[in-house]
Amino acid sequence: MENMVGIQHSSSREKDFVEVLGLREEIEKIQSTIADFETGKKLNIAIVAEPLKGKTTLSDKIERINLNRAAKITFSKIVQNKNEISLPDDTKKIVILDNCHFLYMRKPGGFDIFYEFLDMISFQNRIFITTWNTNSWKFLNEAFGLGKYFPVQIFIPAFEKENLRLFILNRYEKDEIKFAKDEESEEEPFFYIMKYPLELALLGKKIFILVPKINISYLKNRLLKKQKIEAAEDQVFEKLYLESKGNPGIALRIWELGLDYPVMKPKNIGQFSYEVDLEYEEAFTLSLILSYQGLTKSEITEIMGPMSSVDKILYQLLSQELILKDENDSYRVRPEALSSVTTYMEKLRLVW
């Protein structure tokens, strides 16, 4: 996605996932604030969420609801020219600014655009609806009191398990995905005999021997007095919900990693826990990538300074599979590593 200077409307062909994701209360609050603006009460709005949690999707929905009276600007890289945030006089009264965490550069002298932005939203007779990465929001709020400029703050909550199920399955036709139980299930007896292949190196052939086996899953459920073993689909979405912590973007990534199209089994929902061990410069760079959601190598170099070994830092982060490089040459935290990375950054107090 290119950094946008002008005004752009999102595609109306996108499926309406906001309705699926259950953000009706958030939409109603935003629309109520817009209605107040039209009667003379201006309160700017901030939509705040961690990466992949749906803030851009929500802002797209708000744009579609207010299609004839709203303009939208999406920032996709760090803004370094104030002309990029200058609005023509004929700009509509409702202005949606997506990815406002790109309006500053975390280094000495890197906040001029941010100051221009605060002046603009304070004095113009327009209502500004903005989206922010939660880590950038907390930093800017602590350092500059950003929250004072946005009396209406929408923090997108974790999604319920059933909403995640709808979010995933809405991408497929009815019954397109087949859910299958894992191999050990309640249909099998708790004790049975199975054939086990054995290679005989000296004879150069394979034979099968009979091996007794205990159905551990069945036995556990009996011991725990479970009255009924959940269906495979329920097991899949229970694991998906727990692993993603209700973040739809993470859930979708884990789903795609485990799907053996068109079949999904509970055991295919992976568990992702990363042992993160970084030098300070590596950790600080990772905190920047986390806070901006995506940075190019040149942007990282500009923040870190020319003396930093950015190539070496990125190599370490890539080799530990904490980040990936997308099609726009931006480095992002791997969705499945997001929880481990955030926990590590919080321990170092590099994000709050």
Side-chain angles (χ1 to χ4, degrees), residues 153-206:
Q153 298 166 12
I154 308 289
F155 294 90
I156 297 181
F159 295 129
E160 300 292 337
K161 182 168 55 179
E162 287 308 305
N163 286 334
L164 284 183
R165 187 198 303 256
L166 291 171
F167 172 65
I168 298 292
L169 295 184
N170 197 37
R171 297 168 178 273
Y172 303 94
E173 299 296 329
K174 185 179 180 182
D175 298 327
E176 180 180 348
I177 298 299
K178 310 298 181 188
F179 292 92
K181 293 181 178 178
D182 296 334
E183 282 71 18
E184 289 184 333
S185 69
E186 64 179 329
E187 281 76 18
E188 297 173 335
F190 78 91
F191 180 83
Y192 55 98
I193 303 296
M194 66 174 291
K195 290 182 178 180
Y196 184 81
L198 180 65
E199 297 282 352
L200 297 178
L202 292 177
L203 299 177
K205 64 179 183 180
K206 179 191 295 183

Side-chain angles (χ1 to χ4, degrees), residues 122-149:
S122 299
F123 297 112
Q124 289 202 9
N125 185 28
R126 295 184 173 90
I127 184 171
F128 291 89
I129 303 170
T130 58
T131 74
W132 303 81
N133 174 290
T134 187
N135 298 304
S136 285
W137 171 267
K138 290 177 181 177
F139 164 68
L140 294 169
N141 191 37
E142 186 74 20
F144 300 97
L146 182 59
K148 294 185 296 185
Y149 296 85

Side-chain angles (χ1 to χ4, degrees), residues 21 23 26 30 45-59 97-101 130-139 146 152-159 245-250 289-294 332 338 342 346 351-352:
L21 295 176
L23 295 174
E26 288 76 10
I30 293 170
I45 301 170
I47 301 170
V48 185
E50 66 182 24
L52 306 175
K53 213 167 183 178
K55 54 185 177 297
T56 294
T57 306
L58 177 55
S59 70
L97 301 174
D98 193 21
N99 294 336
C100 288
H101 41 265
T130 58
T131 74
W132 303 81
N133 174 290
T134 187
N135 298 304
S136 285
W137 171 267
K138 290 177 181 177
F139 164 68
L146 182 59
V152 179
Q153 298 166 12
I154 308 289
F155 294 90
I156 297 181
F159 295 129
K245 296 180 174 61
N247 183 316
I250 297 175
I289 294 172
L290 180 64
S291 296
Y292 286 96
Q293 299 190 188
R332 299 175 179 272
L338 190 58
T342 301
E346 288 174 345
V351 300
W352 301 297

